Amino acid sequence: MKKIILLDMDGTITPSRKPITVEMIIQLNSMIVAGYELGIVSGSHLEYMDEQLKNWDRWAGNCEMVHKFPVNGTEDLKMRDVYTDEDWRWLIHDIRSADHRMRLSLGGQYIRVPEYIIQYRGSAINWCPIGRDAPDFMRKRFIGLDYAFNLRLNFLNQVKTRPLFHSKTVIKLGGETSFDIYPAGWDKSYVFKNFQDFERIYFIGDKCEPMGNDYEGFIKAGDYGIQTDGPESTIRILSKILRGPISHDKISS
């Protein structure tokens, strides 16, 4: 029986923006030995994935049982091609306007390099209000404010009222500090089309609520969509899968 486990990266198999741990490498390799193929589905570019997974790559090499899907598996698509010139200008304008309001709401305490706030990934845009190169202390401070005041969720709901986001563009919470923005349908369920002949497809992610960027993959997997609350939880989930088929209503992470 062909079976695969699709996994989000940040917050699922690695700490956000951090390298994969030895403990996770051992668990993933155990899944491969047991006959499971693995697919890592990230909203980031391949270079970011390779940076975080390089320790595992040394162990797994070019294992044909491991698949990497950067930018939700849509890296070969071009988001810019979906929009007219006018729509594209409005899309960027709406993001930058929201970013300006976010900065004002934070009292101007975050100093960012502009080109690192909005990153065009070809088939998606990542908007990180504090900048993708923010140091750890700044990330932790922002994460604390976001947790206390739902900063990102409030701004996400504001942006969703804009015409383009209502009609053809999706915005989701990405990782711990950013937003993922892409055309409708270019979400983490996109990679499932690569495994139509598989009898069982698991999906494990940490952002499986409707506003999270793992939601569509979680829903597409049906009974085999499982939410985790971090890499340690993911290791426990994978260990349970090794002992026999499980579904989201039969597991407590």
Side-chain angles (χ1 to χ4, degrees):
M1 180 178 72
K2 298 180 70 174
K3 49 195 177 180
I4 187 167
I5 303 171
L6 300 174
L7 302 113
D8 166 55
M9 190 163 71
D10 282 349
T12 299
I13 64 170
T14 67
S16 184
R17 298 298 304 277
K18 300 292 184 181
I20 191 169
T21 64
V22 172
E23 292 78 10
M24 181 61 74
I25 290 172
I26 292 171
Q27 185 62 57
L28 293 177
N29 287 347
S30 295
M31 308 310 293
I32 294 171
V33 170
Y36 286 91
E37 296 193 30
L38 302 175
I40 313 303
V41 189
S42 174
S44 296
H45 277 312
L46 183 59
E47 62 184 289
Y48 286 103
M49 297 182 70
D50 287 343
E51 179 182 342
Q52 289 176 257
L53 300 175
K54 62 184 178 183
N55 291 333
W56 184 31
D57 288 342
R58 293 193 188 104
W59 288 32
N62 295 318
C63 178
E64 62 182 14
M65 301 285 281
V66 178
H67 313 273
K68 293 180 183 178
F69 297 102
V71 201
N72 296 347
T74 66
E75 191 171 48
D76 292 335
L77 305 178
K78 299 300 179 186
M79 181 178 181
R80 180 66 182 82
D81 294 342
V82 176
Y83 299 86
T84 65
D85 289 344
E86 182 178 5
D87 281 351
W88 184 257
R89 285 193 295 270
W90 273 112
L91 179 66
I92 302 302
H93 173 270
D94 288 342
I95 297 170
R96 291 199 177 278
S97 295
D99 184 80
H100 178 68
R101 295 195 301 274
M102 173 75 84
R103 183 168 51 178
L104 291 178
S105 76
L106 295 171
Q109 61 181 301
Y110 293 101
I111 301 173
R112 297 88 45 87
V113 177
E115 56 264 32
Y116 293 134
I117 300 167
I118 299 175
Q119 182 187 55
Y120 179 50
R121 295 175 173 173
S123 59
I125 290 172
N126 181 264
W127 163 34
C128 184
I130 60 170
R132 291 192 52 82
D133 61 340
D136 278 350
F137 80 89
M138 185 181 290
R139 290 176 55 85
K140 290 176 180 177
R141 187 168 61 182
F142 179 85
I143 291 167
L145 289 171
D146 187 39
Y147 180 81
F149 301 107
N150 284 323
L151 288 176
R152 288 189 302 159
L153 185 59
N154 289 335
F155 274 86
L156 182 149
N157 287 328
Q158 290 179 35
V159 172
K160 282 179 64 177
T161 65
R162 301 299 298 163
L164 281 174
F165 286 90
H166 179 70
S167 62
K168 64 192 297 185
T169 310
V170 174
I171 179 169
K172 295 280 188 174
L173 300 180
E176 294 180 307
T177 62
S178 65
F179 302 84
D180 288 335
I181 299 164
Y182 44 80
W186 293 14
D187 50 64
K188 289 188 178 178
S189 68
Y190 189 87
V191 302
F192 282 70
K193 64 178 62 180
N194 296 288
F195 306 104
Q196 294 180 9
D197 60 336
F198 279 58
E199 295 182 50
R200 186 178 304 144
I201 303 176
Y202 285 99
F203 180 91
I204 303 174
D206 66 313
K207 295 289 190 299
C208 297
E209 301 82 6
M211 292 299 102
N213 63 356
D214 296 322
Y215 176 73
E216 286 81 6
F218 172 77
I219 294 299
K220 182 73 172 178
D223 287 343
Y224 297 108
I226 300 171
Q227 183 165 12
T228 181
D229 59 14
E232 291 183 0
S233 175
T234 301
I235 289 174
R236 292 195 295 272
I237 292 168
L238 292 172
S239 295
K240 290 183 179 181
I241 291 174
L242 275 181
R243 296 196 290 271
I246 63 171
S247 58
H248 60 73
D249 60 345
K250 295 181 180 178
I251 187 166
S252 174
S253 61

